[in-house]
């Protein structure tokens, strides 16, 4: 009998009944009572572990299994590995599975899930292929879906070629995974069509269930829509992609991984614009559990974008902190260093940025190509063209590429270092002479080298290149002419002998009718043959077809009446007055006549003439009234005093403005 008067048998009956009904909470209570009677009961401990796992109490389940490991032994290997897997202790789960004495089907299923989380896709594919081949039950479709997900991950993250495993596309999950695999191969149009198909299959499959609402369907379609938006973004349809991304965000799906990826992709569309929206979206990438839902490369991309967003929002310390953390996590990856360099360039610390790039390229030569290109760009920004050329020539991977040769020749020409530019051509020609003699790239380089040398007057040095080109095609008259011109400076006899290969003048002459050419519409000069006409009224001159009538010369214009031909003309007469050398500007201080200023009733002229200070011989005292002596012989002597002046126009002579008559009312006069 158990405590409380209930028998152990009845408790086991309760456990069995609750287990069949799926009521593991009540079953756990019954098992706990059984263990109070016998704490080392193996069956009861196993049942308790299962109940804890089913109720999501994985930590308690692990504690029970670890505490009673000697009693339970290998009976609970699956429960232990599954609990560790659900607690994101993936490495521990892998060790538990590999240490199991027997690999059961359910352990293999879990093993495949663990390998997928660890991104060991090749091993995972082998496990699922073996399970599908050797088992036939109701879970076959789920195994095929998982295998399709493994193939899609290999295509996207490892850039592995697609392998036809004969998987069907009968469900929307299988169709979705097939679309993701096509994205990894760059087949964007085909993948978009697959996603459309997956969307239709999803709607059809969920429409049959009466308990599923429209919101549930949209929530299930969120992952498909987000992937469709990603394809649109890769195709350059950013506006449509942004609209679809925002629709997914508004649904607030429960999958934190989906939210993080969608928010990150919105941030990449915004770039350095709409930073406020990006700062809101970046919070979704920091949700709890995101690191367990996404692949390593996805998490890496999110961290890179966080650092770039910090740089665009002028958070220099935060940007440096994130970039340093990324560099410690990925020591051989060039992107964290490039982010630090970009931040230093924003702070105008180009020398420090160059040192950082130099240090990284020395420590990680496998990633030095992209780093050295950035170094060359920084040197060009600072005006150090020769240093940039030296860095570019040190990149073995791109040393003999056409684009690199063109860039080096252009920069050396800008620096007027023709010898170095020719040396670049020589090294590239020697390389292709050894690797791909006579190829199109080789001959194109020889042609460009010859033209470059001829352009800068290096005809002697161009002879070998021209000879090589002419030997490849002896019918090339242009190359032969260039070769003869070059030899004429070095070896005239050789030039004469080569000139024998030129075609004769007769073969090069064109069958052209000169008269017809002269009479054509485009002729600019035609010789006229007009006969003299006698008589009083000769007819007007007729123009023959194709003739151009001479324009009459214009007569010289008449000279001005006061023109002095002996005087030297002003050389600056065509320039505006203000731009002439002898222009001194308008004299300041002269006020124009202002009517109404000064003493009441006087004009501006009278006021100026009555000013006694402007008469040189005027005595300090005023003259007597009626006297005409002194120096008052000018206009001031006859000036009328202000009060005796008459206004300019009397009131009678002024034009009166007619007044409007007032309209009377009904009872008006």
């Amino acid at each position: 009998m158990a405590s409380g008067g209930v028998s152990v048998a009845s408790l086991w009956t309760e456990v069995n009944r609750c287990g069949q009904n799926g009521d593991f909470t009540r079953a756990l209570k019954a098992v706990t009572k059984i263990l109070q009677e016998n704490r080392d009961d193996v069956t009861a401990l196993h049942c308790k572990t299962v109940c804890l796992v089913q109720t999501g109490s994985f930590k308690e389940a692990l504690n029970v299994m670890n505490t009673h490991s000697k009693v339970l032994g290998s009976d609970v290997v699956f429960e232990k590995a599954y609990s560790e897997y659900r607690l994101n202790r993936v490495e521990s789960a892998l060790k538990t599975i590999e240490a199991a004495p027997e690999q059961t089907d359910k352990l293999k299923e879990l093993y495949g899930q663990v390998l997928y989380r660890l991104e060991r896709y090749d091993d995972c594919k082998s496990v699922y292929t073996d399970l599908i081949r050797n088992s036939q039950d109701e879970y076959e479709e789920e195994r095929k879906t998982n295998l399709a997900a493994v193939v899609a991950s290999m295509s996207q993250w490892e850039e592995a070629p697609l392998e036809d495993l004969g998987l069907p596309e009968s469900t929307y999950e299988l169709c979705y995974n097939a679309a993701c695999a096509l994205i990894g191969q760059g087949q964007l149009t085909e993948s978009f069509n697959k996603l459309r198909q997956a969307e239709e299959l999803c709607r059809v499959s969920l429409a049959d269930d009466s308990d599923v609402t429209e919101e549930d369907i949209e929530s299930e379609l969120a992952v498909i829509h987000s992937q469709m938006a990603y394809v649109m973004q890769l195709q350059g349809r950013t506006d449509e992609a942004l609209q679809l991304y925002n629709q997914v965000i508004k649904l607030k799906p429960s999958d934190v991984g989906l939210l993080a990826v969608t928010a990150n992709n919105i941030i990449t569309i915004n770039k350095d614009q709409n930073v406020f929206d990006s700062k809101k979206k970046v919070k979704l990438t920091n949700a709890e559990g995101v690191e367990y839902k996404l692949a390593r490369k996805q998490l890496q991309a999110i961290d890179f974008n966080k650092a770039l967003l910090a740089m665009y929002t002028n958070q220099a310390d935060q940007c440096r902190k994130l970039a340093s953390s990324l560099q410690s996590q990925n020591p051989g990856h060039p992107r964290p260093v490039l982010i630090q360099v970009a931040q230093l360039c924003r702070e105008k610390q180009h020398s420090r940025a160059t040192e950082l790039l130099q240090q990284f390229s020395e420590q990680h030569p496998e990633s030095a190509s992209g780093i050295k290109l950035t170094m060359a760009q920084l040197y060009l920004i600072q005006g150090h063209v020769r240093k940039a050329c030296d860095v570019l020539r040190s990149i073995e991977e791109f040393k003999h590429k056409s684009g690199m040769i063109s860039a080096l020749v252009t920069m050396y020409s800008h620096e007027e270092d023709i010898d170095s530019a020719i040396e670049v051509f020589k090294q590239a020609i020697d390389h292709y002479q050894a690797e791909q003699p006579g190829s199109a790239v080789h001959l194109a380089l020889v042609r460009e080298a010859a033209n470059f040398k001829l352009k800068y007057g290096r005809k002697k040095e161009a002879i070998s290149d021209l000879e090589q080109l002419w030997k490849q095609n002896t019918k090339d008259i242009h190359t032969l002419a260039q070769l003869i011109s070059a030899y004429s400076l070095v070896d005239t006899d050789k030039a004469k002998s080569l000139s024998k290969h030129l075609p004769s003048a007769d073969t090069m002459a064109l069958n052209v009718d000169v008269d017809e050419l002269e009479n054509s519409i485009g002729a600019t000069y035609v010789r006229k043959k007009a006969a003299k006409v006698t008589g009083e009224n000769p007819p007007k001159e007729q123009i023959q077809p194709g003739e151009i009538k001479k324009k009459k010369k214009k007569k010289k214009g008449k000279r001005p009446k006061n023109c002095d031909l002996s005087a030297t003309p002003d050389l600056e007469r065509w320039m505006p007055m203000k731009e002439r050398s002898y222009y001194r500007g308008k004299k300041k201080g002269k006020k124009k006549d202002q009517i109404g200023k000064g003493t009441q009733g006087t004009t501006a002229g009278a006021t100026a003439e009555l000013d006694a200070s402007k008469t040189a011989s005027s005595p300090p005292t005023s003259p007597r009234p009626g006297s005409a002596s002194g120096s008052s012989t000018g206009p001031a002597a006859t000036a009328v005093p202000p009060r005796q002046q008459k206004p300019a126009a009397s009131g009678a002579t002024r034009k009166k403005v007619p007044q409007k008559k007032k309209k009377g009312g009904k009872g008006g006069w």
Side-chain angles (χ1 to χ4, degrees):
M1 296 292 291
S3 59
V6 182
S7 65
V8 175
S10 62
L11 288 174
W12 278 115
T13 304
E14 178 73 9
V15 170
N16 185 38
R17 183 177 60 81
C18 293
Q20 290 178 351
N21 296 332
D23 191 356
F24 295 101
T25 304
R26 292 186 65 180
L28 181 61
K29 293 178 181 178
V31 169
T32 304
K33 291 178 181 179
I34 294 172
L35 288 172
Q36 288 175 357
E37 297 296 325
N38 185 5
R39 61 189 303 270
D40 292 329
D41 188 337
V42 178
T43 306
L45 287 171
H46 196 172
C47 288
K48 183 177 182 179
T49 303
V50 172
C51 290
L52 289 171
V53 169
Q54 290 290 345
T55 55
S57 304
F58 302 112
K59 286 186 178 180
E60 295 180 30
L62 274 178
N63 290 334
V64 171
M65 287 183 279
N66 291 330
T67 304
H68 303 279
S69 58
K70 293 181 179 180
V71 178
L72 292 170
S74 60
D75 294 340
V76 290
V77 172
F78 175 78
E79 286 78 8
K80 183 180 180 182
Y82 184 75
S83 298
E84 290 171 338
Y85 172 76
R86 291 299 301 272
L87 291 170
N88 297 309
R89 303 174 188 177
V90 187
E91 295 287 351
S92 300
L94 180 65
K95 292 178 181 178
T96 303
I97 294 170
E98 291 177 343
E102 182 184 0
Q103 294 292 326
T104 60
D105 285 346
K106 61 181 181 181
L107 265 180
K108 287 181 180 178
E109 299 273 5
L110 182 59
Y111 186 43
Q113 293 285 349
V114 169
L115 291 173
Y116 184 80
R117 283 281 298 275
L118 292 172
E119 300 183 22
R120 291 169 53 180
Y121 299 121
D122 284 327
D123 298 335
C124 184
K125 186 178 74 171
S126 302
V127 169
Y128 279 119
T129 305
D130 182 64
L131 280 170
I132 292 169
R133 187 184 300 114
N134 299 319
S135 59
Q136 290 182 351
D137 51 22
E138 65 272 16
Y139 299 110
E140 183 178 359
E141 191 174 283
E142 292 184 12
R143 295 189 188 100
K144 289 181 178 179
T145 301
N146 291 344
L147 180 58
V150 173
V151 172
S153 298
M154 292 176 69
S155 176
Q156 284 189 312
W157 312 129
E158 296 182 354
E159 299 180 359
L162 280 180
E163 185 179 354
D164 187 9
L165 300 175
L167 296 173
E169 296 177 5
S170 53
T171 64
Y172 71 90
E173 294 96 340
L174 284 164
C175 199
Y176 171 80
N177 287 331
C180 293
L182 290 172
I183 292 173
Q185 299 299 309
Q187 302 178 24
L188 301 181
T189 305
E190 294 82 353
S191 65
F192 191 81
N193 294 334
K194 288 280 184 191
L195 290 170
R196 286 285 190 198
Q197 184 181 346
E199 182 183 15
E200 293 175 6
L201 288 171
C202 181
R203 290 187 183 278
V204 170
S205 63
L206 296 178
D208 298 336
D209 193 346
S210 58
D211 296 333
V212 178
T213 62
E214 186 63 29
E215 292 181 359
D216 296 335
I217 295 175
E218 291 297 325
S219 180
E220 190 70 21
L221 288 171
V223 64
I224 299 176
H225 288 162
S226 183
Q227 199 71 298
M228 290 171 70
Y230 176 63
V231 174
M232 290 177 183
Q233 185 178 355
L234 292 178
Q235 291 176 330
R237 299 155 58 187
T238 52
D239 292 338
E240 298 173 64
L242 188 60
Q243 185 178 359
L244 202 52
Y245 280 140
N246 286 321
Q247 288 179 9
V248 174
I249 294 290
K250 287 179 182 178
L251 289 173
K252 297 181 180 178
S254 58
D255 188 353
V256 292
L258 173 61
L259 272 175
V261 170
T262 305
N264 175 75
N265 291 351
I266 292 174
I267 293 170
T268 59
I269 291 177
N270 289 339
K271 294 182 180 178
D272 57 343
Q273 305 295 322
N274 203 0
V275 178
F276 180 72
D277 179 63
S278 297
K279 290 180 75 173
K280 289 195 299 182
K281 294 295 188 295
V282 80
K283 294 178 182 178
L284 297 174
T285 64
N286 299 325
E288 185 180 356
V290 169
E291 63 274 17
Y292 307 119
K293 291 285 187 178
L294 302 179
R296 189 181 297 112
K297 286 192 175 180
Q298 287 176 309
L299 294 171
Q300 196 179 74
I302 289 173
D303 290 338
F304 286 148
N305 289 330
K306 286 179 182 176
L308 287 171
L309 183 61
M311 183 183 73
Y312 286 137
T313 52
N314 298 320
Q315 296 175 298
D317 295 336
Q318 180 72 5
C319 178
R320 276 190 284 268
K321 182 180 177 181
L322 290 169
S324 300
S325 175
L326 283 168
Q327 191 172 6
S328 61
Q329 295 171 12
N330 312 279
H333 204 294
R335 196 167 295 173
V337 179
L338 292 174
I339 293 174
Q340 295 181 56
V341 167
Q343 180 60 45
L344 288 170
C345 289
R346 287 172 72 92
E347 298 170 2
K348 307 299 182 183
Q349 300 183 35
H350 296 100
S351 301
R352 174 71 184 120
T354 308
E355 292 174 6
L356 196 61
L357 291 170
Q358 181 67 35
Q359 182 181 355
F360 182 83
S361 63
E362 292 173 357
Q363 294 175 353
H364 304 280
E366 70 280 358
S367 304
S369 298
I371 295 296
K372 286 185 176 180
L373 287 173
T374 309
M375 285 176 62
Q377 181 66 32
L378 284 179
Y379 278 133
L380 288 174
I381 290 172
Q382 298 174 72
H384 305 318
V385 181
R386 292 187 182 276
K387 289 184 178 180
C389 291
D390 294 340
V391 171
L392 291 176
R393 295 182 73 172
S394 67
I395 306 175
E396 293 295 332
E397 185 179 352
F398 305 137
K399 191 173 183 180
H400 303 299
K401 298 289 185 182
S402 300
M404 182 64 73
I405 296 166
S406 175
L408 286 170
V409 169
T410 302
M411 286 190 281
Y412 278 130
S413 301
H414 180 269
E415 292 295 299
E416 298 181 358
D417 189 355
I418 308 304
D419 294 331
S420 298
I422 293 174
E423 180 64 23
V424 171
F425 272 123
K426 183 179 180 303
Q427 291 178 359
I429 291 170
D430 292 343
H431 169 77
Y432 284 103
Q433 181 69 37
E435 299 293 333
Q436 304 173 21
S439 63
V441 180
H442 178 215
L443 296 178
L445 276 174
V446 175
R447 168 69 66 187
E448 291 299 326
N451 290 336
F452 182 81
K453 292 170 185 176
L454 291 173
K455 178 182 177 181
Y456 287 95
R458 306 291 183 92
K459 292 188 177 182
K460 295 179 182 179
E461 299 175 24
I463 288 175
S464 60
D465 298 330
L466 292 170
E467 279 186 339
Q468 187 176 357
L469 288 170
W470 187 59
K471 286 177 182 177
Q472 290 288 334
N473 184 11
T474 55
K475 295 181 180 180
D476 189 353
I477 301 173
H478 178 68
T479 303
L480 179 59
Q482 288 180 320
L483 184 58
I484 293 170
S485 176
Y487 262 122
S488 63
L489 299 176
V490 182
D491 190 350
T492 54
D493 295 334
K494 183 70 175 176
K496 289 178 181 178
S497 63
L498 286 172
S499 63
K500 296 177 182 178
H501 296 281
L502 288 171
S504 62
D506 296 334
T507 58
M508 296 181 66
L510 300 175
N511 296 324
V512 178
D513 187 352
V514 179
D515 295 332
E516 183 180 353
L517 182 63
E518 288 182 349
N519 293 328
S520 65
I521 298 174
T524 56
Y525 172 75
V526 178
R527 194 167 42 190
K528 296 180 182 178
K529 295 181 180 179
K532 293 183 179 179
V533 180
T534 56
E536 295 181 357
N537 297 323
K540 293 184 179 179
E541 182 183 0
Q542 295 183 356
I543 301 172
Q544 297 294 332
E547 289 185 0
I548 298 175
K549 188 176 181 180
K550 290 184 179 180
K551 295 181 179 179
K552 292 182 179 180
K553 293 183 180 180
K554 293 183 179 180
K555 294 181 179 180
K556 293 182 180 179
K558 294 181 180 180
R559 295 188 182 90
K561 293 180 179 180
N562 300 329
C563 178
D564 186 4
L565 297 176
S566 62
T568 304
D570 185 5
L571 298 178
E572 299 181 4
R573 62 188 180 280
W574 308 115
M575 297 170 62
M577 181 61 73
K578 291 184 178 180
E579 296 179 11
R580 299 183 191 179
S581 59
Y582 49 81
Y583 178 69
R584 295 291 179 268
K586 295 181 179 180
K587 294 182 180 180
K588 297 181 180 180
K590 285 189 174 182
K591 295 182 180 180
K592 295 181 179 180
D593 296 341
Q594 297 180 359
I595 301 174
K597 299 288 183 179
T599 313
Q600 182 179 3
T602 129
T603 61
T607 307
E609 291 165 355
L610 290 173
D611 189 355
S613 64
K614 293 184 180 179
T615 54
S617 58
S618 117
T621 56
S622 59
R624 295 177 183 178
S627 172
S629 63
S631 59
S632 55
T633 57
T638 58
V640 182
R643 293 190 179 276
Q644 296 181 17
Q645 289 179 356
K646 293 182 179 180
S650 62
T653 59
R654 290 179 186 170
K655 189 176 181 181
K656 293 184 179 180
V657 179
Q659 295 182 354
K660 293 183 179 180
K661 294 183 179 180
K662 293 182 180 180
K663 292 183 179 180
K666 291 181 180 180
W669 294 93

